[in-house]
């Protein structure tokens, strides 16, 4: 179903997103598939209990039989009987740079995926459709690698201290100034881990007596950060502005439950590109609502920074908006920049506050110097400050690859989710048996893909997820 944009006047460019409904026959067969799997699961559990079938899974020792079980019951059942059948599709060890092509260690299982043994053979040149290497900066040759190697010999690999003690390097200061300039904000702060940037900073911004309005498809790091904060959390339907506006109205009219006092702060949490759906946030409408109801906006640009916008400055540039309209601009260096870590950008007062109160700023070891240099070099390349047009060409190449790949898959008749400009391309598989089969068959054809099922997606919306890169050639995409 194509969403109809209600506030069309806010958009300076066409906004096309499609989430086609599951065909009825496919939905029925998917439920039947899960039903058969569950029945066989219970049958095999019965056989294991009576020692007819060998029990391979971890069980409590005899003396611990009276303890509360360590796992939730269904989770354990699901792991034993469903996940184990397709476990070979995950955690495959690669032994090369995660660029456009990768080398992978071959492994086999003689006991239906309970254990794996390595054959010692390496499968060469697998087309990598799984890494978030959007601009192709994950490479072991070129200017980024040379700069990082030089810094490694000068500073070493680890810093062994937090920023507030002996771990604040001139490189960190340089990186933060560059990030602020790149984003078009007053100030920025970098962190060593992207996940922790969300989970540790949201609790520093909101607490008890505050309200968080979170998109239902937000990433686990945002969900964890919101829960750790102790604030009240309310969920709005994905990218649905009517749902968000209703929650905002209710929050302002009714205030806090029981006391009816006004909320201290209202924070809206959204992502730039949603990594499982391939959809782009309706940012112009979110900003309009934020201004109308005087709330704050926290934008997670993990997948959109570098990958969207004419010069790779993310979803704000993609819609032609002002960065000052977003209160907290968060993003990671793990995707488009081919490094590790995350950042938060915004007003100087916000960043100064976070330097003192954010757990990941105070307690976590600061970023590794060669990683910092990788980010600086790749960011300067995107901005064109290295004296070349390589960065701009990569951003354009990614946009071309994205549109071409999405168009070709649709022509082949697949159900593809998300926005036509999103480099994350979910291809719907639906049926449980197809998850493992698709991953294995693609690997046989030397293509590495990520297949995703429950609990990472709704139970009848299993999918394969392709991540496009500027490093992919047209021939690779055709293959």
């Amino acid at each position: 179903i194509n969403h109809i944009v209600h506030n069309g006047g806010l958009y300076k460019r066409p906004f096309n997103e499609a989430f086609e409904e599951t065909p009825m026959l496919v939905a029925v067969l998917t439920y039947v598939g899960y039903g058969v799997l569950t029945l066989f699961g219970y049958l095999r559990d019965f056989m294991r209990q009576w020692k007819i079938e060998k029990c391979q899974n971890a069980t409590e020792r005899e003396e611990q039989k009276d303890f509360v079980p360590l796992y939730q019951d269904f989770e354990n059942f699901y792991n034993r009987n469903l996940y184990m059948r397709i476990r070979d599709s995950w955690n495959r060890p690669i032994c090369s740079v995660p660029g456009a092509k990768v080398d992978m260690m071959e492994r086999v299982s003689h006991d239906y995926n309970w254990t794996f043994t390595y054959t010692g053979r390496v499968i060469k040149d697998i087309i990598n459709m799984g890494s978030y290497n959007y601009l192709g900066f994950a490479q072991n040759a070129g200017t980024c690698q040379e700069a990082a190697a030089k810094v490694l010999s000068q500073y070493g690999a680890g810093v062994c201290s937090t920023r507030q003690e002996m771990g604040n390097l001139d490189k960190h200061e340089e990186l933060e100034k560059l990030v602020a300039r790149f984003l078009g904000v007053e100030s920025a702060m970098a962190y060593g881990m992207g996940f922790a940037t969300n989970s540790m900073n949201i609790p520093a911004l909101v607490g008890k007596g505050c309200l968080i309005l979170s998109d239902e498809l937000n990433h686990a790091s945002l969900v964890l950060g919101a829960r750790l904060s102790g604030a009240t959390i309310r969920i709005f339907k994905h990218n649905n502005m009517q749902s968000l506006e209703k929650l905002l109205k209710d929050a302002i009219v009714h205030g806090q439950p029981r006391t009816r006092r006004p909320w201290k702060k209202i924070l809206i949490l959204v992502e730039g590109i949603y990594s499982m759906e391939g959809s782009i946030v309706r940012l112009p409408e979110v900003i309009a609502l934020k201004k109308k109801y005087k709330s704050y906006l926290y934008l997670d640009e993990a997948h959109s920074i570098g990958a969207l916008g004419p010069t790779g400055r993310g979803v704000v540039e993609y819609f032609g908006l002002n960065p000052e309209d977003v209160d907290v601009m968060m993003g990671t260096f793990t995707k488009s920049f081919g490094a590790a870590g995350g950042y938060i950008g915004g007003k100087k007062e916000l960043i100064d506050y976070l330097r003192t109160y954010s757990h990941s700023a105070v307690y976590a070891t600061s970023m590794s110097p060669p990683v910092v240099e990788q980010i600086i070099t790749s960011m300067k390349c995107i901005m064109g400050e290295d004296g070349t047009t390589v960065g701009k060409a990569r951003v354009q190449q990614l946009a071309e690859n994205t549109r071409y790949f999405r168009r070709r898959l649709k022509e082949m008749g697949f159900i593809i989710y998300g926005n036509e400009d999103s480099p994350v391309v979910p291809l719907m598989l639906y049926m449980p048996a197809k998850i493992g089969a698709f991953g294995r068959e693609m690997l046989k054809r030397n293509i590495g893909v990520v297949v995703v099922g429950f609990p990472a997606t709704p139970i009848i919306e299993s999918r394969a997820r392709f991540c496009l890169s500027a490093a992919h050639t047209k021939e690779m995409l055709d293959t």
Side-chain angles (χ1 to χ4, degrees):
I1 298 169
N2 279 299
H3 289 312
I4 297 133
V5 178
H6 294 279
N7 306 328
L10 294 171
Y11 292 82
K12 298 182 177 117
R13 57 182 301 147
F15 186 79
N16 298 320
E17 276 195 356
F19 295 92
E20 196 177 317
E21 268 191 16
T22 317
M24 181 55 85
L25 177 66
V26 175
V28 169
L29 288 173
T30 304
Y31 278 119
V32 167
Y34 275 105
V36 170
L37 268 173
T38 309
L39 278 172
F40 270 88
Y42 280 117
L43 177 68
R44 294 185 68 175
D45 272 0
F46 175 78
M47 287 164 74
R48 284 177 192 132
Q49 203 174 352
W50 290 96
K51 307 277 191 292
I52 300 166
E53 186 186 323
K54 189 183 169 196
C55 183
Q56 303 252 25
N57 57 295
T59 48
E60 274 86 6
R61 298 200 303 275
E62 274 303 316
E63 57 267 31
Q64 287 181 322
K65 279 281 181 269
D66 302 332
F67 286 26
V68 175
L70 203 53
Y71 303 115
Q72 292 167 337
D73 197 41
F74 180 71
E75 197 178 303
N76 208 350
F77 175 82
Y78 184 87
N79 276 346
R80 279 195 307 273
N81 300 302
L82 280 75
Y83 172 66
M84 274 303 160
R85 290 166 182 266
I86 49 177
R87 189 171 156 226
D88 56 316
S89 300
W90 290 282
N91 309 325
R92 292 176 181 148
I94 67 165
C95 45
S96 69
V97 174
K101 289 191 170 180
V102 290
D103 299 341
M104 199 177 281
M105 289 168 71
E106 189 182 55
R107 60 180 186 178
V108 290
S109 176
H110 301 293
D111 54 5
Y112 304 102
N113 297 341
W114 284 95
T115 58
F116 293 105
T117 50
Y118 295 101
T119 60
R121 198 171 82 84
V122 171
I123 310 168
K124 295 270 186 194
D125 290 334
I126 292 169
I127 298 173
N128 179 8
M129 299 301 289
S131 296
Y132 305 133
N133 180 23
Y134 296 130
L135 294 180
F137 280 115
Q139 52 196 47
N140 56 359
T143 47
C144 291
Q145 180 265 333
E146 286 158 17
K150 194 174 161 195
V151 167
L152 178 64
S153 60
Q154 188 185 343
Y155 290 86
V159 187
C160 303
S161 183
T162 66
R163 288 288 292 275
Q164 297 192 355
E165 290 159 3
M166 293 292 284
N168 193 22
L169 304 179
D170 53 349
K171 284 282 165 203
H172 294 135
E173 303 283 341
E174 185 190 337
L175 171 66
E176 287 172 352
K177 285 193 181 78
L178 184 67
V179 169
R181 208 167 74 239
F182 181 66
L183 297 173
V185 294
E186 285 178 18
S187 185
M189 180 162 188
Y191 300 90
M193 180 183 176
F195 190 97
T197 309
N198 277 335
S199 57
M200 295 286 105
N201 283 306
I202 295 172
L205 296 171
V206 288
K208 213 169 181 306
C210 300
L211 175 68
I212 290 174
L213 300 179
S214 175
D215 189 294
E216 65 179 346
L217 297 179
N218 274 345
H219 188 257
S221 58
L222 288 164
V223 174
L224 179 64
R227 286 176 181 167
L228 288 175
S229 71
T232 305
I233 306 166
R234 292 195 181 140
I235 312 295
F236 62 92
K237 288 198 182 78
H238 173 58
N239 246 349
N240 185 319
M241 294 305 119
Q242 289 76 19
S243 171
L244 175 58
E245 185 162 22
K246 186 180 181 302
L247 285 179
L248 279 164
K249 275 183 185 165
D250 288 353
I252 289 163
V253 171
H254 299 301
Q256 295 185 39
R258 296 206 311 276
T259 62
R260 296 285 173 247
R261 286 189 190 134
W263 295 99
K264 290 179 190 167
K265 287 176 214 161
I266 298 177
L267 182 69
I268 301 168
L269 291 187
V270 290
E271 286 186 52
I273 292 178
Y274 290 83
S275 58
M276 281 294 164
E277 268 57 36
S279 81
I280 296 174
V281 66
R282 297 170 177 274
L283 198 58
E285 295 175 73
V286 176
I287 287 176
L289 286 177
K290 160 198 122 79
K291 287 177 174 173
K292 184 176 172 185
Y293 295 102
K294 310 258 188 305
S295 56
Y296 294 102
L297 175 60
Y298 186 111
L299 172 66
D300 174 344
E301 286 214 274
H303 290 266
S304 55
I305 196 71
L308 280 184
T311 61
R313 280 166 170 79
V315 73
V316 177
E317 186 191 47
Y318 174 80
F319 287 115
L321 302 165
N322 184 351
E324 285 180 6
D325 289 337
V326 181
D327 302 286
V328 189
M329 290 182 81
M330 175 273 168
T332 62
F333 302 124
T334 49
K335 320 278 190 295
S336 299
F337 305 99
Y343 65 80
I344 280 188
K347 291 259 190 305
K348 191 174 182 305
E349 300 93 78
L350 167 80
I351 304 303
D352 289 347
Y353 172 82
L354 287 176
R355 279 187 205 285
T356 320
Y357 289 99
S358 159
H359 277 52
S360 52
V362 181
Y363 297 110
T365 305
S366 53
M367 290 176 81
S368 168
V371 171
V372 172
E373 188 59 27
Q374 162 78 19
I375 301 160
I376 291 172
T377 321
S378 57
M379 197 175 280
K380 280 184 175 170
C381 180
I382 296 168
M383 293 163 84
E385 288 184 12
D386 61 344
T388 69
T389 56
V390 171
K392 196 163 188 217
R394 288 187 186 212
V395 174
Q396 286 168 349
Q397 186 61 49
L398 175 66
E400 280 171 34
N401 285 356
T402 298
R403 287 205 188 89
Y404 176 71
F405 191 70
R406 279 181 169 273
R407 192 183 75 242
R408 285 295 308 276
L409 282 182
K410 279 183 183 146
E411 282 167 9
M412 289 164 78
F414 290 108
I415 295 182
I416 304 296
Y417 271 10
N419 193 295
E420 61 181 19
D421 289 326
S422 159
V424 179
V425 185
L427 180 151
M428 304 311 288
L429 299 173
Y430 300 112
M431 300 174 203
K434 278 189 185 172
I435 306 172
F438 189 83
R440 289 176 200 129
E441 288 300 321
M442 291 296 266
L443 189 59
K444 274 184 200 165
R445 291 159 175 77
N446 264 26
I447 299 163
V449 298
V450 173
V451 283
V452 193
F454 180 79
T457 65
I459 199 150
I460 67 153
E461 286 184 17
S462 303
R463 63 197 67 177
R465 186 185 64 180
F466 300 96
C467 291
L468 292 167
S469 168
H472 288 137
T473 61
K474 192 165 177 290
E475 291 75 43
M476 287 180 193
L477 299 182
D478 286 338
T479 304

